[in-house]
Amino acid sequence: MKVFYDKDADQSLLQGRRIAVIGYGSQGHAQALNLRDSGADVVIGLRAGGASWSKAVAAGLAVTEVSEAVSTADLVVMLIPDELIAEVYCRDIHPVIRQGAALVFAHGFNIHYGQVTPRQDLDVFMVAPKAPGHTVRSTYTAGGGVPALVAIEQDTSGTARALALAYASAIGCGKAGIIETNFREETETDLFGEQVVLCGGAVDLIKSGFEVLVEAGYSPELAYFECLHELKLIVDLIYEGGISTMNYSISNNAEFGEYLTGPKIVTDETKQAMRDALQFIQDGSYAKAFILESKSGNPTLTARRNQLKRHQIEVVGEQLRGMMPWIKASALVDKTQN
């Protein structure tokens, strides 16, 4: 594994080059603002009349429509949702992107699964911060950064890696470490982690634990605290020093229960389901399902979002969080900003 830091990057490579950031959502706003504060020339490319236009203007950034932003740029950074990238690339980017420019991604999905085929004259690379955009921004403004992955798909200029490192450093990642990988590895591991552990696995584990306690007659409020609220305390300890540090910090009673009951919840059958999920990702079946979902107007996403809003854990959680104003005061997500 190759790891790079600020000392290995030359941010002067960005001087005299205009960077068009396409999109102003979680990653878009964070990377654009970090680039600007690092001295880069940044323009935001957005759909005319889009909800983010006024937010980017309010942040003091230059904003224009996508094709115009791309036509003036030396680096074009794709930070819109994965399901929109192929259409926007074909319509607004491919016809006008400069000869020899760099096309930059934060996730390998569209390249790995063949949704975008860049021109051969372009450098194509990925800089993927390993944190949500809000954290990318907050750690930068605090003087730090988050780790990032870099990958080179096309190195037409012969300097794609150096440019990727300069970009990663400018958004703050060189302070934490920049790890070199490839588009396939980043895409497949990222999708697996999200589906099996971070989002899919964790969310369903939380909901199931909550439901079991409530069905057994315990109060929803206590079930919320035990199965959702306190999870942050455990994850923070694991984040800080690994599983062993978490076990050091909890009681012997809790640790013994971990060893006794954990393997009964995550069984060999669960692990096989994880292997099946990985295969579903590796063979492209998940990508096909996701693309079809988007082209169909996101019926599953819409239905599941509405279903989740009505789940008792969300209703009770909103009430309980209202009793804890410090949570909102230190919130990572500010929907007014991006």
Side-chain angles (χ1 to χ4, degrees):
M1 182 178 72
K2 296 180 180 178
V3 185
F4 303 92
Y5 296 93
D6 281 338
K7 64 181 177 59
D8 304 305
D10 182 5
Q11 287 192 35
S12 69
L13 291 174
L14 300 180
Q15 293 177 9
R17 303 192 195 211
R18 169 162 276 203
I19 303 174
V21 173
I22 311 304
Y24 198 71
S26 177
Q27 286 292 338
H29 94 284
Q31 294 192 33
L33 292 173
N34 290 5
L35 287 165
R36 181 197 65 186
D37 292 351
S38 291
D41 178 15
V42 180
V43 60
I44 308 299
L46 295 175
R47 175 174 54 86
S52 297
W53 191 293
S54 60
K55 296 176 182 179
V57 170
L61 293 162
V63 188
T64 187
E65 294 191 41
V66 173
S67 58
E68 183 177 348
V70 170
S71 68
T72 66
D74 303 289
L75 287 82
V76 176
V77 189
M78 304 298 292
L79 296 179
I80 56 178
D82 290 325
E83 63 269 27
L84 302 179
I85 284 178
E87 179 183 355
V88 171
Y89 178 79
C90 290
R91 184 187 65 223
D92 299 322
I93 297 174
H94 179 81
V96 297
I97 189 170
R98 289 178 173 178
Q99 185 87 9
L103 186 63
V104 186
F105 294 85
H107 182 33
F109 185 94
N110 278 275
I111 293 294
H112 178 54
Y113 291 117
Q115 298 303 296
V116 170
T117 303
R119 292 197 325 238
Q120 289 301 305
D121 64 279
L122 304 175
D123 281 348
V124 181
F125 62 83
M126 174 173 55
V127 177
K130 298 309 293 177
H134 309 90
T135 306
V136 173
R137 180 58 178 164
S138 63
T139 55
Y140 178 94
T141 57
V146 303
L149 304 179
V150 297
I152 311 303
E153 182 70 11
Q154 288 182 188
D155 185 11
T156 303
S157 69
T159 61
R161 179 197 275 181
L163 193 58
L165 292 176
Y167 183 97
S169 177
I171 63 173
C173 299
K175 293 181 174 60
I178 305 163
I179 301 169
E180 188 168 21
T181 182
N182 57 65
F183 273 65
R184 179 194 66 81
E185 185 175 50
E186 185 277 336
T187 302
E188 294 176 359
T189 57
D190 186 73
L191 292 174
F192 178 84
E194 290 169 348
Q195 295 175 28
V196 171
V197 180
L198 305 177
C199 304
V203 167
D204 271 278
L205 188 66
I206 290 167
K207 288 165 57 183
S208 294
F210 176 89
E211 290 165 359
V212 166
L213 285 178
V214 173
E215 289 165 3
Y218 298 99
S219 74
E221 291 78 11
L222 285 182
Y224 176 87
F225 277 118
E226 295 302 332
C227 296
L228 189 153
H229 179 81
E230 292 189 22
L231 180 63
K232 180 185 183 327
L233 308 178
I234 298 302
V235 171
D236 283 350
L237 291 169
I238 295 173
Y239 176 85
E240 180 181 307
I243 296 171
S244 59
T245 291
M246 182 272 291
N247 284 335
Y248 174 83
S249 301
I250 63 178
S251 68
N252 289 339
N253 198 342
E255 185 180 4
F256 180 73
E258 169 193 333
Y259 301 142
L260 185 67
T261 304
K264 297 177 183 178
I265 305 302
V266 180
T267 63
D268 289 341
E269 183 178 5
T270 309
K271 201 167 184 179
Q272 184 56 49
M274 293 180 175
R275 295 189 185 99
D276 294 342
L278 180 58
Q279 179 62 36
F280 192 64
I281 291 166
Q282 290 172 327
D283 66 17
S285 297
Y286 170 76
K288 292 176 183 176
F290 177 68
I291 293 165
L292 179 60
E293 167 76 8
S294 176
K295 289 182 177 180
S296 302
N298 297 312
T300 302
L301 277 171
T302 301
R304 293 301 297 269
R305 286 167 180 166
N306 291 334
Q307 186 181 44
L308 179 60
K309 287 178 183 178
R310 297 191 297 269
H311 194 286
Q312 191 176 17
I313 197 171
E314 289 290 276
V315 176
V316 170
E318 185 174 4
Q319 295 170 350
L320 292 176
R321 288 190 297 273
M323 299 165 51
M324 298 176 279
W326 58 89
I327 293 177
K328 186 175 182 179
S330 59
L332 293 173
V333 179
D334 183 350
K335 295 180 181 179
T336 66
Q337 298 297 314
N338 60 81

